Amino acid sequence: MYKVFINEKRLILSSEPQDSPKTLNYDGSHSFDFAIDLLENTASQGLNIYLDNVEELWADFRNYFKNVEAAGGVVINPENKILFIHRLGKWDLPKGKIEKGESREVAAVREVEEECGISNLQLKDFLNATYHIYTERDGKKILKTTYWFHMLYSGKETPKPQIEEGINEVSWKNEAEIETVIIPSTFQNIKLILADFKSKCK
């Protein structure tokens, strides 16, 4: 099963029907046209497209879009706090595009260091990938895949936001602050990866 967000609304691609506001048996690429139109231009909050062979469905879906890959981290300090960035009115986890010839792991560490102004991160395990669709200025639809890694930080540096990337704050948050500050003001994909992290690493 794959969960893709369009305008913060959930598109589920699966091998059998799921609990969703609307379900659709896959019938070619026009199913994707319908999904995008529904989730971008109506009040519908979700759609499930299903096909017995979900990997075939996923391959068709990926081929329908221009693909962009990014990587980032869930960074933990000795106080068991998680590092967040604040940009454009939303809390987020540090991440960025993978450069040509760069591995996912190297990109994840580089982006966290650049966006948060810290160094000497210890890379742990791969957590999961998240997916969302956005529109470029020329109208082209982009499927962005972000690969997330668990990281540890034990240094003494004070995090500094990468202002030129629109980041205005970097902050360590404890579990209570995540529930009261982060969750109400973050993206659905970030909620997913935080839940994954909590189930796998705590």
Side-chain angles (χ1 to χ4, degrees):
M1 183 190 304
Y2 295 88
K3 298 174 183 176
V4 182
F5 286 93
I6 306 173
N7 282 357
E8 291 295 278
K9 300 174 181 179
R10 184 176 300 187
L11 170 61
I12 299 174
L13 305 177
S14 61
S15 59
E16 55 188 28
Q18 301 294 311
D19 183 17
S20 182
K22 186 171 181 62
T23 59
L24 181 67
N25 193 352
Y26 179 56
D27 188 27
S29 62
H30 58 273
S31 296
F32 305 145
D33 291 328
F34 175 81
I36 292 168
D37 182 59
L38 181 78
L39 298 178
E40 285 188 339
N41 301 312
T42 77
S44 179
Q45 292 301 302
L47 172 66
N48 168 220
I49 300 176
Y50 62 94
L51 181 71
D52 286 347
N53 187 339
V54 70
E55 295 307 324
E56 177 187 332
L57 172 58
W58 180 243
D60 286 356
F61 186 76
R62 284 181 61 85
N63 289 334
Y64 183 77
F65 298 94
K66 176 182 175 182
N67 287 264
V68 169
E69 293 191 324
V74 179
V75 185
I76 309 299
N77 70 8
E79 288 77 44
N80 208 34
K81 294 181 178 181
I82 297 178
L83 188 62
F84 290 90
I85 62 172
H86 192 264
R87 173 166 44 198
L88 300 176
K90 289 276 194 178
W91 286 103
D92 203 350
L93 291 167
K95 65 183 183 303
K97 289 183 181 178
I98 300 172
E99 295 180 354
K100 188 175 181 179
E102 192 176 38
S103 71
R104 297 168 183 175
E105 292 83 357
V106 168
V109 171
R110 175 184 56 76
E111 284 292 342
V112 171
E113 291 181 345
E114 289 177 355
E115 292 195 343
C116 302
I118 59 175
S119 57
N120 299 315
L121 293 164
Q122 181 184 354
L123 187 69
K124 300 290 284 183
D125 303 316
F126 173 69
L127 293 171
N128 214 333
T130 57
Y131 311 95
H132 76 274
I133 289 168
Y134 65 92
T135 306
E136 289 191 325
R137 291 179 181 177
D138 62 3
K140 186 173 292 184
K141 301 293 182 184
I142 308 298
L143 172 61
K144 185 174 182 179
T145 301
T146 304
Y147 303 97
W148 297 99
F149 294 86
H150 177 199
M151 302 179 192
L152 300 179
Y153 178 70
S154 57
K156 303 296 183 183
E157 299 159 299
T158 300
K160 296 179 181 177
Q162 189 180 20
I163 301 297
E164 60 269 28
E165 287 295 322
I167 302 168
N168 62 284
E169 186 178 351
V170 181
S171 181
W172 296 102
K173 299 295 186 186
N174 63 29
E175 195 165 343
E177 291 169 324
I178 290 170
E179 290 300 320
T180 59
V181 177
I182 303 298
I183 295 300
S185 184
T186 193
F187 302 99
Q188 296 297 331
N189 272 334
I190 301 303
K191 295 176 185 178
L192 282 182
I193 209 65
L194 289 173
D196 272 355
F197 173 76
K198 191 171 184 178
S199 66
K200 291 178 180 179
C201 302
K202 290 190 176 184

